[in-house]
Amino acid sequence: MGKVEKGTNWTVFSKSQHRHDGLNGFLLCFGVSNVLLLSVDGVLLVDTGYVKEQKIFCRLSCIFRYGPDDIDVVGHCFTRDLFESTIQIYPPTGEEQKPLTKMQERLMKKIGDKAMPFSFQFPNHLPCSVALQPGVNDPDKFCAVDFEVVAFCVENLEERIHKRSSVRLAIRKVQYAPDRAGPPPTAHISKHFLMSDQPLHLEATLNKEIYYHGEPISVHIQVTNGSNKNVKSVKIAVEQTTTVVLYSNDKYVEEVALEEANDQIAPGSTFSKTYVVLPLMTNNREKHGIALDGKYKQEDTNLASSTILKEATDREVQGMLVSYAIKVYLLIPGLLGDISSSDASVEIPFLLMHPSPGGYQLNQEDDELTVEDDEHSPPGTADMENDE
């Protein structure tokens, strides 16, 4: 069962298994950014009277999933481990451990002498959590990159992990925006028409390169219509492109925000205007193929963040790549009206990301730490993400 407890800049997640294993997990997460190599830290409550001669391990996994769990189609497994790291928690191996975090110290003081700490480092090449939203009528058509921490009790690592002797917590890895952004992006095009001496020139500019989730995007367009054509309307769209690079290079292109205006631009005239579009998950709940920042049953999420590939990173290990672009269209009717219409269009790439939350600080005067089980939380699920 899972419970979320929040203090100043901290989130503690607990998960317990009350059958015959004596395991109870408490998971902490520090920010995992696009630059820093940070850790996932936690504490296990272990009742050694139940464990007896067995060993307790903890495992951090990054998993690519396609379709329901444990599906095999024509001999190909649709679940693949992109990363796995396993450490032995009990009995202690004698290896030198990293210093405890202050939150681990507080948890261990509260839990008592049965508490055992663990810590994992995130390798710099791992992808971020991302999931394609399945269709309403096809809930099993699920594609995602997931992370999870599993604590389990076995005699050896070759032994099968049973649900009754393990606890699992799903975690979410997000990528924060870089500290420095590039110049405001711009794009332009000159379109020539038959029987027109001068072209139609379109220029579109964003006021910055990086936008945060939930932030409106201002698109300024400047049109010089030297042609003999009349512009009937203007369309501004935000397109999300998701490329599944792991198994097939499938590509999903979806409009996640749209603004249409009946702004007409006569031949020989100029036009200047700023439009505002707002890409939000709440406006795209019914669309299949929209990429999200991980998907969990207990809570809503947001549109997936843009993928920033680091140098020498293997594209395939990323599972899925996400990018965004603004598309600006000028609709131009032809001789037969809308039937033979054409358009002048430009595309402006931009980044949609989470703002960096800054450093995490533990205030010793925080409210008293409490960790409880939540009997209403669905078994087998618990979420963890950076407390922003």
Side-chain angles (χ1 to χ4, degrees):
M1 303 173 187
K3 177 70 178 179
V4 178
E5 299 293 341
K6 291 189 177 181
T8 303
N9 287 337
W10 292 86
T11 305
V12 179
F13 299 82
S14 70
K15 190 76 175 295
S16 60
Q17 182 59 270
H18 296 300
R19 296 182 183 178
H20 303 292
D21 50 34
L23 285 180
N24 198 332
F26 301 85
L27 188 61
L28 321 171
C29 181
F30 297 178
V32 184
S33 75
N34 63 311
V35 177
L36 301 178
L37 180 65
L38 299 181
S39 60
V40 172
D41 305 280
V43 173
L44 282 177
L45 189 158
V46 180
D47 190 335
T48 56
Y50 281 106
V51 174
K52 298 181 181 178
E53 301 300 322
Q54 294 183 312
K55 298 178 181 179
I56 294 177
F57 296 90
C58 199
R59 176 175 293 163
L60 170 65
S61 300
C62 176
I63 307 165
F64 177 84
R65 306 180 190 275
Y66 183 76
D69 291 340
D70 304 322
I71 284 292
D72 260 325
V73 179
V74 294
H76 295 283
C77 182
F78 279 75
T79 299
R80 174 174 168 180
D81 291 333
L82 301 180
F83 171 81
E84 184 177 280
S85 177
T86 305
I87 55 176
Q88 181 174 318
I89 306 298
Y90 177 84
T93 60
E95 296 182 4
E96 183 179 355
Q97 296 183 349
K98 62 168 282 189
L100 298 178
T101 67
K102 291 184 178 181
M103 186 60 80
Q104 281 178 309
E105 291 176 352
R106 292 181 64 184
L107 273 173
M108 294 181 71
K109 182 178 180 180
K110 181 177 181 66
I111 297 170
D113 57 6
K114 293 183 180 181
M116 298 184 181
F118 64 87
S119 179
F120 291 99
Q121 294 295 114
F122 266 104
N124 216 22
H125 67 275
L126 290 184
C128 293
S129 301
V130 61
L132 290 182
Q133 181 168 258
V136 176
N137 298 323
D138 298 297
D140 290 338
K141 291 184 178 180
F142 183 76
C143 183
V145 174
D146 293 333
F147 288 84
E148 69 176 11
V149 175
V150 185
F152 54 96
C153 183
V154 292
E155 293 185 0
N156 56 72
L157 286 175
E158 286 70 35
E159 186 178 334
R160 180 184 175 186
I161 301 174
H162 296 279
K163 289 184 178 180
R164 67 176 180 272
S165 58
S166 63
V167 290
R168 296 174 180 265
L169 292 112
I171 68 175
R172 182 183 301 171
K173 179 176 180 287
V174 299
Q175 190 172 39
Y176 294 133
D179 295 331
R180 295 182 179 180
T186 184
H188 59 86
I189 186 176
S190 292
K191 185 160 185 174
H192 294 265
F193 298 91
L194 189 64
M195 308 290 291
S196 292
D197 294 333
Q198 299 295 324
L200 180 150
H201 183 77
L202 165 65
E203 182 176 359
T205 306
L206 305 183
N207 59 341
K208 57 182 180 177
E209 180 192 28
I210 300 174
Y211 292 87
Y212 300 142
H213 292 285
E215 181 181 6
I217 300 173
S218 297
V219 186
H220 180 76
I221 73 167
Q222 180 75 38
V223 180
T224 301
N225 189 3
S227 73
N228 60 0
K229 300 294 184 180
N230 183 66
V231 176
K232 180 180 179 181
S233 61
V234 179
K235 173 182 173 183
I236 312 290
V238 180
E239 286 191 354
Q240 179 197 72
T241 301
T242 306
T243 305
V244 184
V245 296
L246 183 61
Y247 68 93
S248 65
N249 267 332
D250 282 355
K251 183 174 289 189
Y252 298 84
V253 180
E254 299 289 344
E255 283 188 357
V256 293
L258 178 64
E259 176 71 19
E260 293 181 294
N262 293 322
D263 292 328
Q264 300 187 12
I265 307 171
S269 66
T270 61
F271 178 82
S272 178
K273 185 175 180 179
T274 298
Y275 299 87
V276 177
V277 288
L278 180 58
L280 290 174
M281 166 60 192
T282 53
N283 299 329
N284 294 278
R285 294 186 183 278
E286 306 300 324
K287 288 186 179 180
H288 168 61
I290 296 290
L292 314 174
D293 263 346
K295 179 66 175 178
Y296 297 102
K297 295 180 180 179
Q298 297 100 316
E299 64 177 57
D300 285 335
T301 182
N302 48 261
L303 296 173
S305 299
S306 301
T307 303
I308 298 180
L309 289 177
K310 304 173 184 66
E311 293 184 6
T313 299
D314 185 354
R315 284 170 53 90
E316 185 173 299
V317 175
Q318 298 302 302
M320 288 185 277
L321 304 177
V322 180
S323 62
Y324 291 89
I326 293 287
K327 294 285 189 72
V328 179
Y329 302 90
L330 303 181
L331 182 62
I332 303 165
L335 294 176
L336 300 178
D338 291 343
I339 298 177
S340 60
S341 64
S342 61
D343 61 57
S345 63
V346 292
E347 177 178 331
I348 314 174
F350 70 96
L351 299 176
L352 183 64
M353 307 193 73
H354 294 276
S356 177
Y360 282 83
Q361 301 292 332
L362 176 62
N363 184 349
Q364 296 292 349
E365 302 301 322
D366 283 351
D367 294 339
E368 181 182 354
L369 176 67
T370 58
V371 182
E372 303 173 358
D373 282 331
D374 183 358
E375 295 183 358
H376 301 290
S377 178
T381 57
D383 301 344
M384 180 187 70
E385 62 181 321
N386 309 101
D387 186 16
E388 300 179 21

